[in-house]
Amino acid sequence: MSITYIASMLKLGIGSPRPFYIIPALKQANAYGFGFPSGHTLMATVLWGLTWYYFSRQRGLQMMFLLLPIAYCLAFGQAIARVWYGVHFITDTIASLILGTGMVAIYIAWLNAENYSLDDCIVSKWFWLSMSLVIGVTASISHAPEHVYLFAASLGVFLSLDYVNWAPFSFQQVTSDKRSESLFFVLLACYLWGA
């Protein structure tokens, strides 16, 4: 949610045109709105970066150095695709890779924080109420569909926290079948959202 919010705020704030607005022959895929930053590249960088962090933390230092180039190659592949389709300038994707790397570093620091860590915030009603208010005010000013969707999602999480008991939950308690089922639905949702 934070990646989409940050990308959309930068797009609206900077207002950089896409390459095919200047040279129509470049257009090979449909895209709308402004071009900077590349939301797809930013999302790929953060998701692959956090996946790299998760696996390197589980497997150790050697795996960290082995997986880092793979994570960057996957994010860089997304950047190349966005330029190839003519929907972003090279500078848009390079800046998105740099911004995404910074966001990964912030999320890793937030995950390992002593006070108000990411785990604590995710189950806090006050955190989600604050996020709902900030995104709601932004949506009422910008009228951007992404902000309305993010507001609805954050408000839904805030309202659902009354019905979910997070205290005794541990991912290790979930059976292998349930993990596979959960992973399938998460991947399906990501695919449908991107389609």
Side-chain angles (χ1 to χ4, degrees):
M1 289 175 65
S2 61
I3 300 165
T4 303
Y5 182 75
I6 290 169
S8 65
M9 290 299 291
L10 286 172
K11 282 179 188 279
L12 292 173
I14 295 172
S16 173
R18 293 185 183 272
F20 61 78
Y21 291 141
I22 299 167
I23 305 172
L26 292 174
K27 186 175 184 178
Q28 295 185 30
N30 289 331
Y32 64 93
F34 299 115
F36 179 82
S38 169
H40 288 81
T41 304
L42 184 62
M43 182 75 74
T45 304
V46 173
L47 290 178
W48 286 117
L50 291 176
T51 302
W52 161 79
Y53 173 71
Y54 175 77
F55 283 117
S56 63
R57 192 175 73 174
Q58 299 291 325
R59 304 289 182 202
L61 193 61
Q62 182 180 7
M63 189 63 73
M64 178 172 67
F65 289 115
L66 180 67
L67 292 178
L68 185 59
I70 295 171
Y72 265 109
C73 283
L74 291 169
F76 189 69
Q78 179 66 42
I80 291 171
R82 300 307 288 172
V83 173
W84 178 263
Y85 288 140
V87 295
H88 289 291
F89 292 106
I90 292 172
T91 53
D92 296 344
T93 58
I94 290 171
S96 297
L97 287 167
I98 294 168
L99 179 62
T101 303
M103 290 177 71
V104 168
I106 290 170
Y107 291 138
I108 289 171
W110 195 9
L111 277 166
N112 297 316
E114 292 291 324
N115 297 325
Y116 305 109
S117 71
L118 182 59
D119 293 337
D120 296 336
C121 290
I122 285 177
V123 297
S124 168
K125 285 193 72 160
W126 291 109
F127 174 78
W128 287 105
L129 178 61
S130 302
M131 290 298 100
S132 298
L133 291 173
V134 168
I135 296 170
V137 168
T138 304
S140 68
I141 294 169
S142 71
H143 298 278
E146 298 91 9
H147 296 156
V148 176
Y149 301 148
L150 290 173
F151 171 68
S154 62
L155 188 61
V157 172
F158 166 70
L159 294 173
S160 69
L161 284 175
D162 282 338
Y163 300 104
V164 178
N165 184 11
W166 292 96
F169 181 76
S170 171
F171 194 67
Q172 277 69 26
Q173 295 172 347
V174 180
T175 65
S176 178
D177 292 338
K178 288 291 185 185
R179 283 186 204 164
S180 300
E181 184 179 315
S182 300
L183 180 63
F184 170 76
F185 283 116
V186 167
L187 292 175
L188 180 65
C190 291
Y191 173 76
L192 293 176
W193 189 17

